[in-house]
Amino acid sequence: MEENDQFNAGYGGVLTWEGNVEMDAAIMEGATLDAGCVSLIRDILHPIALARSVMEKTRHKYLAGDGAMAFAIEDGFEILPEGSLVTERAKKALEDYKNSLNKTNSACDDEEEQPEIGDKVFGSPGTVGAVAIDAYGNVAAATSTGGITGKMPGRIGDSPILGGGTYADNAAGCISATGNGETIMRYNVASRILSLIEHFGLTAQEATAAVLEQMTVRFNQTAGVISIDPNGNLGIYFTSRRMSWAYQRGDELHYGIDKGEDIVEIIGEPRVKF
Ligand SMILES: NC(=O)C[C@H](N)C(=O)O
């Protein structure tokens, strides 16, 4: 999905105020609470793979900027020619965003001006997130994003923040979030949802809906989350107008984008049967 320009991750990621793609990603496994996070990544097609390398090959959990790029080179990642991830669509979104700011001509972080997820005006609809559970109850989460259009260079969102936009713990479940990163990280969205599941016995759907509704009321900002609880129940909820999501269970593929939508396709037997 990082290769698909329809998503705000990898190729087609949204642009900083200065017109660059600067990406964040995180991956976490719930059995060990091991994790890898990266920020301020440029010219790499799959930042999520770099996050995984940080998890598996370093003694650290989070690398950013020049150090992360140096590690990527050392680890054999292809560094694309500068600007290779920038699409015409992302450029147009940045231009539209700049034109929409009639108050000031700087990269201010005025929350009122930030588009909500799904907004077609200022860039690709969304961050790419994945959550999964296996037959043994091991959960995992991963999130990859270009952030928000017109962000200041150096800005880091919620996606690589463990407990903010990404988290996985076999005792509680797994989370990937999308939406206004400044709000999601301040509200600790992932850890709040998982607390409700672990300590108050809510299902993934109940906990996800409760926390996102509270966040939206408190901050007047929208977000969306996909989650799975330790019983394998899915949570899919968004306070934005739209969020594209999909999941597979057995041979059924479900997907949707607008509220209440649940399109089902039978895609044949899965290769691994549980
Ligand atoms: N579209 C997104 O989900 C953006 C991401 N949450 C960020 O703020 O970096």
Side-chain angles (χ1 to χ4, degrees), residues 11 45 70 76 118 127 133 135 139 141-142 204 218 232 237:
Y11 179 65
L45 191 53
T127 289
I133 187 166
V139 295
R218 185 121 178 227
Y237 199 84

Side-chain angles (χ1 to χ4, degrees), residues 8 14 24 117 124-128 143 145-148 151 155-160 177-182 184:
N8 176 15
V14 300
D24 299 331
I117 56 169
S124 304
T127 289
V128 174
T143 313
T145 188
I148 53 175
K151 66 184 182 180
R155 177 265 188 190
I156 295 169
D158 61 299
S159 307
T178 181
N180 181 276
E182 282 67 14
I184 295 168

Side-chain angles (χ1 to χ4, degrees), residues 34-52:
D34 207 359
C37 312
V38 292
S39 284
L40 311 178
I41 302 305
R42 289 193 184 197
D43 307 320
I44 288 179
L45 191 53
H46 294 297
I48 197 67
L50 183 59
R52 186 173 185 161

